[in-house]
Amino acid sequence: MIIDAHLHTSGRETSGEVLQTLDEAGVDIAFLLAPFLTEPYSLDDRDSLRAGNKYLSRLIDGHSDRLVGFAVVNPLHPQAAGDLEEAAGLPGIRGLKMVPTGWYPYDDCAHRVYEVASRFDLPVLFHSGIFIDGRSGRFCRPAFYEAIREHPGLRATLAHLGWPWCDEANAVGVIDRINGVNPEDSQFRFDISFGPPPIYREEVFRKALDVIGPRSMQFGSDRFLPCSGAHIRSAIDEVTALLDLLDVSAADREAIMFRTAAEWLRLPLALSPEIA
């Protein structure tokens, strides 16, 4: 089984196209992010984000067994907490995507959104680390997300292993391990989409496996729909090759490729040890 826990929508795909792409890629379940990086959707335009969340809900309609929706809000909009309440009531929305750009994860405006996410039991997928499009990554250092601990019931995933601050990401994640918290009860997960460039990747993954462990790591392609299944499959193959290189066990591969994400979102299959 494979869960793609980080897949962007653009607003230009259909449900049938998405499912066909997943089938071609060999992906069983996808966490779909509402559109915010393709026109007419923009983090700067509150109305476009609200429209994007509604679009995503319609896209998922009738396919919630395979498609899981993540709403997008921008805390810089004063109405963001209310917008998340609105999104939480939409069918198929089970999580939240947030991108710190112009705000820090510890800012009051962010905490107001976290309170709503915690109340509706919506886990949060954050961008963390440098942006590949050149925007300033100064808002996205992993240590800044420790503010999540002020909301004990809130679960968060930091994308991209926080590159280039991967050691800092490990430091955030290892706190629960040091204190004896079981991985499934930890507030933090880390997705392995993109992240370090190839020359760094073996070292970074080896450290993450040793420090935070595979049950805190989850696969995400970070691809943009509409796309071919081969495009997503290339991300899967890249990770598989790296896990081969690191001689990662079958059980640990299962954790990375689906079980961590299933536990994070509390999907029923997380409780089924026979699934492989």
Side-chain angles (χ1 to χ4, degrees):
M1 171 167 282
I2 295 176
I3 293 177
D4 187 338
H6 191 150
L7 187 57
H8 289 268
T9 63
S10 65
R12 299 191 295 266
E13 54 280 292
T14 67
S15 300
E17 290 170 340
V18 173
L19 294 171
Q20 181 177 344
T21 293
L22 297 183
D23 288 342
E24 292 173 356
V27 171
D28 299 277
I29 296 172
F31 296 177
L32 302 183
L33 313 184
F36 66 95
L37 291 171
T38 50
E39 293 184 355
Y41 305 100
S42 168
L43 288 173
D44 296 327
D45 184 343
R46 176 201 170 211
D47 288 338
S48 78
L49 295 182
R50 294 176 66 210
N53 293 333
K54 293 172 184 175
Y55 162 82
L56 180 63
S57 177
R58 294 192 299 271
L59 186 72
I60 291 170
D61 186 34
H63 307 288
S64 58
D65 58 328
R66 297 190 65 188
L67 307 179
V68 180
F70 277 63
V72 176
V73 301
N74 183 351
L76 291 182
H77 300 143
Q79 311 93 335
D83 291 345
L84 182 55
E85 288 200 33
E86 176 184 72
L90 297 174
I93 301 299
R94 299 188 58 182
L96 171 65
K97 167 71 172 183
M98 297 181 74
V99 183
T101 177
W103 56 275
Y104 288 96
Y106 49 74
D107 284 345
D108 288 344
C109 63
H111 279 287
R112 287 192 285 273
V113 173
Y114 302 158
E115 289 169 1
V116 175
S118 184
R119 176 153 44 93
F120 285 92
D121 195 27
L122 300 174
V124 187
L125 172 62
F126 288 101
H127 174 87
S128 68
I130 293 292
F131 290 99
I132 62 172
D133 62 6
R135 282 178 293 168
S136 175
R138 71 183 185 276
F139 302 102
C140 303
R141 290 194 63 153
F144 297 160
Y145 296 97
E146 290 183 315
I148 290 294
R149 297 190 190 279
E150 297 180 35
H151 306 267
L154 185 59
R155 290 158 285 145
T157 287
L158 306 189
H160 319 304
L161 286 171
W163 168 258
W165 300 292
C166 300
D167 289 341
E168 188 170 293
N170 284 340
V172 172
V174 79
I175 297 300
D176 283 344
R177 292 189 66 184
I178 290 172
N179 288 286
V181 178
N182 290 328
E184 66 267 28
D185 297 323
S186 175
Q187 284 191 265
F188 286 97
R189 310 290 193 280
F190 302 83
D191 98 14
I192 60 175
S193 59
F194 285 112
I199 194 170
Y200 295 94
R201 204 159 286 161
E202 180 182 353
E203 176 187 358
V204 167
F205 271 57
R206 190 183 302 278
K207 286 181 177 179
L209 287 164
D210 288 345
V211 176
I212 59 175
R215 290 182 66 195
S216 293
M217 300 166 65
Q218 60 193 42
F219 170 75
S221 71
D222 199 13
R223 300 308 202 222
F224 280 75
L225 296 164
C227 69
S228 68
H231 190 46
I232 295 176
R233 190 72 214 182
S234 67
I236 297 170
D237 292 343
E238 182 179 284
V239 170
T240 299
L242 187 57
L243 299 181
D244 288 344
L245 179 66
L246 295 172
D247 196 26
V248 175
S249 72
D252 288 347
R253 289 171 190 246
E254 287 182 9
I256 293 167
M257 299 309 293
F258 82 88
R259 200 173 296 282
T260 297
E263 289 179 344
W264 184 58
L265 209 64
R266 296 175 180 160
L267 300 178
L269 59 88
L271 304 177
S272 304
E274 70 276 6
I275 292 178

